[in-house]
Amino acid sequence: MKFTLSWLKQHLETDASLAEIADTLTEIGLEVEEIVDPAEALSAFTVAYVAKCEKHPDADKLQVCTVETGNGTFQVVCGAANAHAGMKGVFAPVGTYVPGIDLTLTKAKIRGVESFGMLCSERELELSDEHHGIIELSEDAEVGSPAAAALGLTDAVIDIAITPNRPDCLAVSGIARDLAAAGLGTFKDQPVAPVQGSFANPQPIALEFSAETASACPVFAGRVVKGVKNGPSPDWLQAKLKAIGLRPINALVDITNYISYDRARPLHVYDADKLSGTIKARLGETGERFEALDGKTYEVDAEACVIADDARVLGLGGIMGGEETGCTEETVNVFIESAYFDPIRTAKTGRRLNIISDARFRFERGVDPAFVVPGLELATEMVLELCGGEASEIEIAGEAPEGNSSFSFDISEVKRLSGLELAPEKIEQLLTALGFGLRGSAPVFEVSVPSWRPDVFGPADIVEEVVRLVGVANVPATPMPRVSGVAKPVLTEMQKRQRRARRLLAGRGLVEAVTWSFIPKKEAEAFGGGQASLVLDNPISSELSDMRPSLLPGLITAAQRNADRGLDDGALFELGQIYGGDQPEDQRIAASGVRFGNIGLEGSGRDWAGNAKPADVFAAKADLAALLDALGLDASNLMIVAEAPDWFHPGRSGSFKLGPKVTLGVFGEIHPLTLEALGADGPMAAFELDLGALPQPKRKGRSRSALGASDLQAVRRDFAFLVDADVPAGDLLRAARGADKALISNVGLFDVFTGKGVPEGKKSLAIEVTLQPIEKTLTDKEIDAVAEKIVAAVVKATGGELRG
Amino acid sequence: MTAATLDTLKTELLAAIDAASDLSALDEVRVASLGKKGRISELMKTLSGMAPEERKSFGQAVNALKDEIGAALEEKRGALARAAMAERLASEREDITLPVRPGPLAEGRIHPVSQVIDEITEIFADMGFSIAEGPDIETDFHNFTALNIPEEHPARQDHDTFYFGRREDGSRPVLRTHTSPVQIRTMLKEKPPLRIIAPGRVYRSDSDQTHTPMFHQVEGLVVDEETHLGHLKWVLEEFCKAFFEVDSVKMRFRASYFPFTEPSMEVDIGYAKVGDEIRIGEGDEWLEILGCGMVNPNVLRNVDLDPARYQGFAFGVGIDRLAMLKYGMPDLRAFFAADLRWLKHYGFVPLAVPTLAGGLS
């Protein structure tokens, strides 16, 4: 919402400075976005007299002007056809920044003739698009004086952001009322005097709605002014509109635009002679179309509120009028419309047709229903004044809707909700200044809401009015009571797991990434996703279309981008949501990581002490195992099986399971086809853990069990077994461990060997078993007995044999 | 045999020990003196033929000589062993300028967003706030209607919402446009008094240098029977001081509008720009950092709380923006690009756990 300082002062009696006004606007919720003071912006430009104007010796279209300025006489080469001796223009000396051409002037030689500055057009000063010639100032402009003043641009233009709840401040008068209530002066209330019509309205008006759709346009008022003389509006009106960026059209149209900004009352003027029969508001019909004032043709539908006559659709109610019936300089008889259009319907239609207009902006936020007729009167008054003519009586179809209902307000609400202690008189004064009606006496008032405030419904809204006018700065900051002396822990188990998982993974050298929750469809499908319920209807691009079923596609493509930049070895992880469906419980938190290139726990790439190995299934398994361990899971209770989803290498992947049905996490090398689908080079090794699948920890006491460390010497024995090549080492280790649970404290696998000495189809697994005696030292006999049990258990479980 | 003979022998043997240049030479001396046929051993053998008186005095002298030579041999052996070790060690010198790998703790990083969420959590947990969560895929009810943003409300159009396809029942899920639906979920599930923050991902269909289609917010909500605007101001001021780790901050509360709060405010924080660095708590420039207000009575009604009894405040802050202000990242888009160079530069080492006792950063 733009307005000028002088325009504001039409409605506000104030001594406040521009800066004070700006600060107050911002504080009370009318946030100042920009203030442009043209006097400041154009300070380098001055009035100059063109003493002489001769044809450029070497160019047909250029003239060489002798320009008298406040700082001496300069030679200026000028291309404007209208430059002539004896005129006064706007001069920019060398060194001036000219905004319209985004250039700082330097001394130039144009076709061999030196030029010391510039005579400017309106476009060069960014005053308008006018560029047919240079600005010609009036003869009485004083040479050397600021151009801004000579152009009548002394007024600061203020641009404020209006929140959707304040349609009343889409009027300069409304802004003035707010400022006055905030203590910045006196609001000049300017009620509109009715204009007596001298004849009956000749233009029939009708509302054609069913009872259900009547709210589309509950009231439609109009009148005809005959015998007007339309033409350019007077300078003061044009200047006002131009200052806020509106293009003057003709007096009749300019009047409606002026009232739209001055009073937030959109109006429409029709050339009455172009209307056929009754003008009516009704719903549109599919197939109807009209050419709007913006030159485009729009299709209306049965939801749109249209204005029509007996012949055709003329325009969209509350949004935009039509080209055909608009007022031109030839218009003699004008029909002025002032109506109320339903905010929701206006918004819907405006959005569907993508029409942005000042009228729509106001109607969809809610215009003052009580100002339908006064707005029409004001327009009439201005038409008569600027265009002459004779006004008919007003005709009104329908009835203006009521404003919001009154309600009871206890002033203690101000303190309850804001903590502000204010005298009842102060509250009363503030509300009255805003136009609220207060009946009764403190502490409880019956508050009636002014018709221009559709945003106020109840006590909380009143508290807001009081607080913003007093200023939130004046609300004392009040400490919240502490819930407990020492703050209690607040994180849930899941939140603690996430924190721990994050630090653990980073502690293993992985770097945390945050990647998009939505990924390309192809990638989602490659990881078991892509179902219709998780596809965005309006993705920002096809690369961000499907909710991710896994963190891995995002990490793998990120890894590849890094590799493409020359970072060949790296490790990324992410901790975030994955989506199995569109219900809240389908959203799960996963912790996943990808290692790419040559990288292990010790580091990456080549090193004099030993190069890192390519990221493989065991690197991923180690990450996942460490993660599970850090999250409190006893790995010995977990099953490790050679099963993993399709996107892993079938022979180099596996899962950690808690019982046959619950998969906690998967790990392995990424399948080459999956890498190919993602445009990634391998190998890459990855893991994914579903944090939600982990069992809740059993609540144990904080006290630890007794240590029970034995002072007796542990005994170590090595065994080598020859087993079939496909026997899992895990089976062998489990069998050995189970051979004597009391004595065997650890079983380590220290060699896996195939090759010379081992028959084809077999492998040799060598283990070290630690026996920890508890009560007494073991005798050789006892040790031999345990060894026999171990061999027997392993042979039974694996079908292998002790290697001789 | 006389004492003089023994002295001569002693001198002779000590000289031989001293002259031994390595362990084998020394051993030869030992065998020649103390060995079975060594000169001292031979002397011992002569004792048996002596008169008792003589045997006693001579025996003592020979034993003393034996001890002395034994000790000298031992000392020399130690000296030679030390010299040999020194020689070996001297040959074992390594180039200690050879680089060692820094190890995983130095390689890994925590993303700034995670780190900042941990910082925020630390601060609010101390003020008694717990951490609430909600889904990214939201219903229209939770994301809009319950928050007093009915269909066709102009505020709804400002949200640049991502939609999913319309479901058979006519509903149309959305990606949450803010963390505020967590307010609704919390109030529907738990009864006041409530103090929560809800950090998380939010989505808007918007993309340029300062906007990404996904970003992070943290929501705050307090509902009880006495919390008012003054408490809100205090909490936000305390938060900003703690988060930016400064003794004082300048904050400007401006009246504003959000459908779910009434009164509503936007909050600016004072800063100075020194070079490329933004310094919070200095200077007189203003930067908008958050929106807040008292929970709108309609929102309370929508979750079956009586607005005449219950009251409270809510706020929402951009987490990525807080991170940028505190740690100086210039471009939001880089947060989600997973560029290892950026992550290593702006990320945090795993042991840098923010705590109130140790400082947040």
Side-chain angles (χ1 to χ4, degrees):
Chain A
M1 172 72 189
K2 277 186 182 175
F3 57 95
T4 65
L5 184 60
S6 70
W7 196 341
L8 177 69
K9 287 185 175 178
Q10 270 176 239
H11 297 279
L12 182 72
E13 184 87 57
T14 185
D15 298 327
S17 68
L18 182 59
E20 279 176 283
I21 289 171
D23 286 349
T24 307
L25 283 168
T26 293
E27 193 175 347
I28 64 177
L30 307 174
E31 188 185 1
V32 174
E33 300 211 303
E34 194 186 16
I35 294 185
V36 178
D37 193 343
E40 205 171 296
L42 300 179
S43 59
F45 299 87
T46 55
V47 177
Y49 176 69
V50 182
K52 221 160 65 178
C53 218
E54 290 166 345
K55 199 182 147 304
H56 189 289
D58 208 15
D60 286 346
K61 291 188 173 165
L62 297 179
Q63 301 190 76
V64 181
C65 308
T66 306
V67 178
E68 292 172 8
T69 77
N71 279 330
T73 303
F74 296 99
Q75 172 171 291
V76 173
V77 177
C78 179
N82 68 331
H84 60 91
M87 74 176 285
K88 282 185 177 164
V90 175
F91 174 69
V94 168
T96 306
Y97 174 76
V98 181
I101 51 174
D102 189 23
L103 196 76
T104 301
L105 297 179
T106 52
K107 191 175 92 175
K109 208 168 207 176
I110 301 168
R111 293 257 182 137
V113 178
E114 287 193 313
S115 181
F116 301 85
M118 184 177 199
L119 289 164
C120 302
S121 70
E122 289 195 4
R123 191 168 76 185
E124 279 147 4
L125 299 189
E126 285 192 331
L127 300 178
S128 75
D129 288 339
E130 181 57 49
H131 195 53
H132 291 309
I134 54 172
I135 297 171
E136 185 152 9
L137 295 168
S138 71
E139 280 176 21
D140 51 14
E142 190 186 327
V143 170
S145 69
L151 286 161
L153 299 171
T154 49
D155 218 359
V157 179
I158 303 163
D159 191 3
I160 59 178
I162 302 289
T163 53
N165 60 325
R166 294 303 303 277
D168 61 309
C169 287
L170 296 170
V172 180
S173 62
I175 296 164
R177 185 189 292 108
D178 249 39
L179 282 171
L184 229 63
T186 312
F187 177 54
K188 295 195 239 175
D189 198 6
Q190 293 163 70
V192 180
V195 177
Q196 272 318 319
S198 56
F199 58 100
N201 172 40
Q203 173 59 52
I205 300 172
L207 293 175
E208 294 181 355
F209 294 101
S210 67
E212 294 79 49
T213 59
S215 65
C217 175
V219 62
F220 188 120
R223 78 179 350 156
V224 167
V225 181
K226 63 179 185 187
V228 297
K229 190 178 176 316
N230 197 16
S233 56
D235 288 349
W236 68 264
L237 180 51
Q238 292 203 24
K240 265 201 166 60
L241 296 179
K242 277 185 187 171
I244 60 167
L246 294 182
R247 189 166 53 96
I249 313 281
N250 58 50
L252 290 172
V253 174
D254 292 355
I255 287 167
T256 63
N257 285 334
Y258 173 75
I259 295 173
S260 185
Y261 275 80
D262 192 61
R263 303 294 183 108
R265 168 27 69 185
L267 301 153
H268 193 67
V269 285
Y270 300 85
D271 188 323
D273 298 330
K274 294 177 186 163
L275 297 175
S276 53
T278 305
I279 189 165
K280 60 197 92 180
R282 61 168 169 84
L283 294 187
E285 280 169 30
T286 311
E288 285 184 320
R289 47 172 56 203
F290 79 106
E291 195 190 346
L293 283 170
D294 61 5
K296 294 182 195 157
T297 300
Y298 294 98
E299 304 256 356
V300 306
D301 63 10
E303 291 293 307
C305 177
V306 303
I307 308 298
D309 62 11
D310 290 346
R312 64 236 191 268
V313 170
L314 308 176
L316 284 165
I319 297 177
M320 193 171 277
E323 181 69 36
E324 262 182 77
T325 49
C327 287
T328 64
E329 307 222 342
E330 283 75 49
T331 298
V332 179
N333 300 310
V334 59
F335 174 74
I336 311 172
E337 163 207 305
S338 181
Y340 183 92
F341 297 100
D342 177 50
I344 290 174
R345 193 178 291 272
T346 309
K348 268 188 180 165
T349 303
R351 200 163 57 249
R352 190 181 67 76
L353 296 174
N354 197 21
I355 306 178
I356 292 158
S357 70
D358 284 334
R360 173 191 163 191
F361 199 74
R362 285 165 175 72
F363 278 115
E364 71 184 10
R365 283 161 176 76
V367 302
D368 181 355
F371 202 70
V372 173
V373 173
L376 180 56
E377 300 280 18
L378 182 59
T380 312
E381 189 184 306
M382 287 185 72
V383 168
L384 293 176
E385 189 184 318
L386 303 184
C387 306
E390 194 179 334
S392 79
E393 286 165 357
I394 285 178
E395 184 170 336
I396 304 170
E399 229 175 282
E402 296 279 316
N404 290 351
S405 318
S406 67
F407 51 85
S408 155
F409 176 70
D410 186 329
I411 57 167
S412 67
E413 287 288 288
V414 172
K415 176 149 199 304
R416 179 174 84 101
L417 293 176
S418 76
L420 261 182
E421 304 232 33
L422 291 175
E425 299 75 36
K426 177 71 181 168
I427 294 171
E428 225 181 316
Q429 174 231 318
L430 292 172
L431 293 175
T432 309
L434 286 174
F436 288 90
L438 272 64
R439 277 188 294 122
S441 54
V444 182
F445 292 102
E446 182 70 14
V447 176
S448 58
V449 181
S451 56
W452 58 84
R453 291 299 301 270
D455 59 313
V456 174
F457 298 94
D461 305 307
I462 296 295
V463 172
E464 171 166 86
E465 295 306 303
V466 172
V467 167
R468 69 181 184 89
L469 292 181
V470 171
V472 190
N474 294 312
V475 173
T478 314
M480 285 188 75
R482 275 188 87 79
V483 177
S484 62
V486 173
K488 290 188 174 158
V490 297
L491 298 184
T492 63
E493 188 55 34
M494 185 64 172
Q495 290 160 350
K496 285 193 274 189
R497 275 179 190 161
Q498 291 180 48
R499 284 190 153 196
R500 189 176 274 232
R502 185 174 281 123
R503 302 271 163 193
L504 180 279
L505 292 173
R508 289 180 65 81
L510 291 104
V511 175
E512 189 186 13
V514 175
T515 68
W516 305 115
S517 298
F518 18 54
I519 58 175
K521 175 164 244 35
K522 196 176 71 176
E523 293 179 14
E525 283 170 345
F527 284 78
Q531 61 266 49
S533 65
L534 291 174
V535 179
L536 287 174
D537 235 13
N538 56 335
I540 205 151
S541 85
S542 63
E543 295 296 292
L544 304 170
S545 60
D546 286 54
M547 301 311 290
R548 61 185 180 186
S550 159
L551 303 178
L552 294 178
L555 289 172
I556 290 169
T557 50
Q560 187 58 41
R561 286 197 303 275
N562 281 292
D564 292 344
R565 277 191 290 262
L567 277 161
D568 295 328
D569 315 306
L572 290 165
F573 79 98
E574 181 165 7
L575 216 147
Q577 44 279 73
I578 55 175
Y579 310 86
D582 61 5
Q583 296 304 303
E585 61 274 16
D586 300 330
Q587 180 174 320
R588 305 178 74 84
I589 300 288
S592 308
V594 169
R595 289 182 182 270
F596 62 99
N598 298 316
I599 187 163
L601 200 60
E602 74 287 355
S604 63
R606 297 191 294 177
D607 190 84
W608 65 270
N611 296 340
K613 288 192 304 177
D616 65 3
V617 56
F618 296 107
K621 182 183 175 185
D623 286 333
L624 182 54
L627 188 51
L628 286 164
D629 183 65
L631 296 174
L633 272 99
D634 184 350
S636 63
N637 291 336
L638 299 178
M639 290 167 57
I640 301 173
V641 293
E643 297 164 6
D646 295 344
W647 46 90
F648 283 108
H649 184 307
R652 295 181 183 172
S653 60
S655 314
F656 280 86
K657 296 178 100 169
L658 192 73
K661 287 202 176 131
V662 183
T663 300
L664 299 180
V666 294
F667 61 89
E669 294 170 27
I670 300 296
H671 198 296
L673 284 177
T674 308
L675 290 173
E676 196 182 307
L678 269 57
D681 306 325
M684 291 192 191
F687 65 87
E688 184 149 75
L689 174 67
D690 179 349
L691 286 175
L694 303 190
Q696 283 296 319
K698 293 193 187 77
R699 195 84 193 110
K700 287 177 275 183
R702 283 177 180 76
S703 167
R704 309 285 174 92
S705 62
L707 173 59
S710 171
D711 289 338
L712 299 173
Q713 185 79 40
V715 178
R716 290 195 178 80
R717 285 288 178 276
D718 292 351
F719 303 85
F721 292 96
L722 208 54
V723 296
D724 286 346
D726 60 357
V727 167
D731 291 359
L732 187 149
L733 293 170
R734 195 177 317 111
R737 256 184 233 119
D740 188 331
K741 285 185 173 160
L743 268 182
I744 297 173
S745 64
N746 189 47
V747 179
L749 178 70
F750 66 86
D751 190 40
V752 179
F753 180 72
T754 54
K756 196 166 176 253
V758 174
E760 187 81 359
K762 300 274 181 187
K763 64 184 171 186
S764 164
L765 299 176
I767 60 174
E768 180 193 75
V769 178
T770 308
L771 304 175
Q772 178 60 62
I774 296 158
E775 284 169 3
K776 61 180 187 55
T777 310
L778 295 175
T779 65
D780 286 350
K781 214 174 154 189
E782 284 166 329
I783 294 169
D784 290 345
V786 176
E788 268 172 44
K789 281 206 276 182
I790 291 168
V791 173
V794 169
V795 168
K796 184 161 178 259
T798 64
E801 54 177 320
L802 190 65
R803 211 176 158 201
Chain B
M1 270 299 172
T2 61
T5 322
L6 285 181
D7 278 346
T8 313
L9 180 58
K10 177 177 154 186
T11 311
E12 233 175 88
L13 289 175
L14 286 177
I17 288 167
D18 193 43
S21 63
D22 57 27
L23 285 172
S24 67
L26 187 66
D27 204 49
E28 275 171 29
V29 179
R30 181 188 63 79
V31 171
S33 53
L34 300 176
K36 261 184 188 159
K37 292 189 173 159
R39 294 171 68 183
I40 294 175
S41 306
E42 293 296 332
L43 280 177
M44 296 295 274
K45 288 177 191 162
T46 64
L47 287 177
S48 56
M50 289 182 181
E53 282 302 304
E54 193 190 0
R55 187 193 306 170
K56 188 181 175 192
S57 64
F58 189 68
Q60 278 174 352
V62 174
N63 269 322
L65 176 62
K66 184 183 169 189
D67 289 349
E68 195 173 343
I69 294 304
L73 279 167
E74 192 51 40
E75 190 187 326
K76 180 68 180 183
R77 205 182 61 80
L80 285 172
R82 280 193 297 279
M85 180 188 279
E87 196 178 332
R88 176 170 62 85
L89 293 185
S91 72
E92 287 173 353
R93 187 167 296 275
E94 292 282 6
D95 174 7
I96 50 75
T97 66
L98 284 172
V100 292
R101 288 180 180 271
L105 277 171
E107 299 283 356
R109 290 290 185 280
I110 301 290
H111 194 283
V113 166
S114 301
Q115 184 79 5
V116 165
I117 289 177
D118 282 355
E119 294 182 24
I120 293 169
T121 303
E122 199 65 13
I123 296 167
F124 279 102
D126 185 63
M127 294 194 277
F129 288 67
S130 53
I131 317 302
E133 289 157 329
D136 293 12
I137 301 176
E138 266 297 1
T139 66
D140 188 274
F141 172 79
H142 290 92
N143 196 72
F144 292 122
T145 314
L147 287 161
N148 200 33
I149 315 175
E151 187 106 19
E152 302 307 330
H153 191 287
R156 205 183 256 216
Q157 316 321 324
D158 297 340
H159 274 229
D160 300 320
T161 312
F162 282 115
Y163 289 96
F164 292 89
R166 201 170 286 285
R167 304 304 190 227
E168 273 179 16
D169 62 2
S171 67
R172 201 177 180 201
V174 301
L175 275 181
R176 66 177 182 190
T177 56
H178 47 181
T179 41
S180 306
V182 184
Q183 288 185 32
I184 301 301
R185 290 188 177 272
T186 304
M187 288 190 283
L188 286 173
K189 202 169 59 193
E190 296 164 43
K191 289 295 156 217
L194 294 171
R195 288 188 193 186
I196 59 134
I197 58 167
R201 295 184 176 201
V202 298
Y203 306 87
R204 305 251 177 126
S205 175
D206 199 357
S207 188
D208 58 38
Q209 188 164 359
T210 51
H211 297 90
T212 49
M214 176 185 94
F215 56 104
H216 296 80
Q217 274 188 348
V218 58
E219 191 80 5
L221 175 73
V222 171
V223 177
D224 55 27
E225 296 182 26
E226 60 264 343
T227 293
H228 57 62
L229 202 54
H231 296 117
L232 169 60
K233 278 183 74 175
W234 180 81
V235 163
L236 293 176
E237 282 168 9
E238 291 300 306
F239 167 71
C240 285
K241 278 192 286 185
F243 179 75
F244 290 110
E245 302 177 69
V246 291
D247 292 332
S248 68
V249 284
K250 277 202 304 181
M251 293 176 84
R252 182 169 76 170
F253 291 77
R254 290 182 281 108
S256 188
Y257 170 73
F258 306 105
F260 32 94
T261 48
E262 185 86 24
S264 303
M265 277 143 289
E266 281 182 329
V267 182
D268 301 332
I269 191 160
Y271 74 98
K273 191 152 188 188
V274 184
D276 278 341
E277 190 194 349
I278 284 187
R279 291 196 189 154
I280 303 292
E282 300 175 22
D284 45 26
E285 301 288 319
W286 294 107
L287 201 67
E288 183 185 322
I289 58 160
L290 63 90
C292 61
M294 297 297 291
V295 180
N296 190 301
N298 290 340
V299 174
L300 293 173
R301 281 185 206 104
N302 288 340
V303 294
D304 289 327
L305 291 176
D306 177 5
R309 177 173 172 198
Y310 294 109
Q311 61 189 68
F313 62 73
F315 61 84
V317 197
I319 292 173
D320 323 83
R321 191 163 162 73
L322 284 180
M324 289 166 85
L325 284 177
K326 183 166 180 177
Y327 295 111
M329 304 82 165
D331 186 350
L332 177 62
R333 290 172 300 188
F335 277 64
F336 311 116
D339 183 335
L340 276 165
R341 297 166 302 179
W342 189 93
L343 293 169
K344 291 244 173 173
H345 183 75
Y346 289 111
F348 293 80
V349 296
L351 291 184
V353 181
T355 63
L356 287 182
L360 296 175
S361 64

